Amino acid sequence: MSSIHNYLKSGVEDIIPLLGLLLKKSHAELISISNYQLNLEQKKRLEVLIKQRQKGKPFAYQSGIQGFYHLDFKVTPSVLIPRPETELLIDISLDLFPKKQAVKLLDLGTGCGIIAITLKDKNPHWSVTATDFSAAALRVAEQNCQADISFQQGDWFAAAEGQTFDLIISNPPYIPAGDCHLAELTFEPQNALVSGADGLKDIKIIINNSHKYLQKSGYLLLEHGQNQRANIVKLLGKKFHNIQTFKDYNLQDRAILAQIKN
Ligand code: GLN
């Protein structure tokens, strides 16, 4: 009754990753030991995991790990779970500068650190600063990082006062308050998701202040919501030029790159 085989055939949603997490086995390994009978303790723990999933707890918060680009990141409920869409920001950044340039990067609202850490791993000679107003998030980011990144606590640019960068990147909160999409995201920190009535409150702050922190011809790269492209192009207004917009894997508008005018 409690063999792996029976669980695999049970039709319980996500039973494969849940069994894998419980028994620390891959799908292929689970199949190869499918006659194994779970003991009482394992059955109890599996029931808890199944109930949590049924209540909507994201699998990443159960496993405590989420893959992003070529790395695995520790995640806790203090940080947003990395999304595949955000990998677009990495691809855009990697194409932006000559290979050997010692780029100064600022990642605003780093969360568990995915943007800063991935780009530093790909470009160890870059100088990387990452900020977040959440001390709990920064602690997770620091645990994810083996490289030399400057993590600073503060609201948007507060922790970068007096410094300038070649590239400022942010995946800020951008969902409008009251958006129906939020009903599926209740386990994640709301202040990492929601940004005022139109979802643009934080993006406005970033756009309106970034000129003070960008070097000559520096770039601003933002992730944004799918209906925000035209508004953001307008917000970039007179201070920026060479504006490029990018779609994600689902062909939704998702990122904007702009260069500061000098
Ligand atoms: N892309 C996320 C989502 O829609 C939102 C992330 C964000 O607000 N930065 O689930």
Side-chain angles (χ1 to χ4, degrees):
M1 188 51 212
S2 53
S3 68
I4 289 177
H5 174 80
N6 284 336
Y7 278 111
L8 288 175
K9 293 192 75 181
S10 64
V12 169
E13 204 189 324
D14 279 345
I15 191 66
I16 298 166
L18 292 176
L19 273 171
L21 177 62
L22 177 78
L23 301 171
K24 298 189 172 55
K25 301 275 183 227
S26 67
H27 188 192
E29 287 168 334
L30 289 172
I31 290 170
S32 72
I33 56 163
S34 65
N35 288 333
Y36 174 79
Q37 303 280 327
L38 273 64
N39 64 37
L40 202 59
E41 176 61 28
Q42 289 168 332
K43 273 166 68 175
K44 272 196 213 150
R45 279 173 51 209
L46 184 59
E47 288 307 319
V48 171
L49 289 171
I50 290 171
K51 283 218 179 74
Q52 288 174 339
R53 272 307 279 136
Q54 284 168 346
K55 287 188 181 144
K57 183 169 184 170
F59 181 74
Y61 288 153
Q62 296 183 300
S63 65
I65 290 173
Q66 177 71 33
F68 177 82
Y69 221 82
H70 63 307
L71 298 170
D72 278 336
F73 289 84
K74 173 186 160 119
V75 292
T76 73
S78 301
V79 301
L80 200 71
I81 298 167
R83 310 284 204 268
E85 296 90 270
T86 305
E87 295 182 344
L88 183 59
L89 302 183
I90 305 296
D91 289 331
I92 296 166
S93 305
L94 291 176
D95 284 345
L96 215 48
F97 300 97
K99 276 265 163 292
K100 288 190 177 152
Q101 188 174 331
V103 173
K104 273 189 80 185
L105 165 70
L106 173 62
D107 174 19
L108 293 173
T110 194
C112 68
I114 50 169
I115 294 172
I117 293 168
T118 303
L119 285 172
K120 179 75 180 174
D121 194 66
K122 290 278 176 190
N123 296 287
H125 58 296
W126 285 20
S127 143
V128 179
T129 302
T131 73
D132 206 292
F133 71 88
S134 160
L138 280 177
R139 275 196 295 275
V140 178
E142 277 167 341
Q143 287 171 45
N144 278 323
C145 183
Q146 271 112 50
D148 178 19
I149 290 177
S150 169
F151 289 102
Q152 303 291 336
Q153 191 190 351
D155 201 20
W156 299 126
F157 293 99
E161 220 40 74
Q163 299 178 60
T164 55
F165 300 88
D166 301 298
L167 171 62
I168 297 172
I169 307 184
S170 187
N171 172 20
Y174 54 67
I175 300 179
D179 190 294
C180 59
H181 189 56
L182 291 168
E184 293 153 29
L185 304 173
T186 53
F187 284 81
E188 294 182 88
Q190 296 301 291
N191 51 14
L193 290 165
V194 182
S195 185
D198 58 0
L200 291 169
K201 184 173 144 256
D202 292 287
I203 284 180
K204 278 180 193 157
I205 295 172
I206 294 171
I207 289 178
N208 291 337
N209 289 284
S210 54
H211 63 281
K212 294 178 245 168
Y213 304 91
L214 280 171
Q215 294 194 1
K216 195 169 182 291
S217 305
Y219 293 95
L220 175 64
L221 174 58
L222 296 172
E223 181 172 323
H224 64 80
Q226 56 201 46
N227 298 316
Q228 297 173 334
R229 184 182 68 143
N231 281 327
I232 296 174
V233 169
K234 256 189 234 144
L235 288 170
L236 288 164
K238 296 203 178 97
K239 285 205 178 79
F240 288 86
H241 66 161
N242 296 336
I243 296 172
Q244 289 180 63
T245 62
F246 301 85
K247 291 184 190 297
D248 65 19
Y249 308 114
N250 296 314
L251 302 180
Q252 303 288 344
D253 290 320
R254 187 60 66 194
I256 285 192
L257 174 71
Q259 201 168 16
I260 195 86
K261 287 185 193 167
N262 294 114

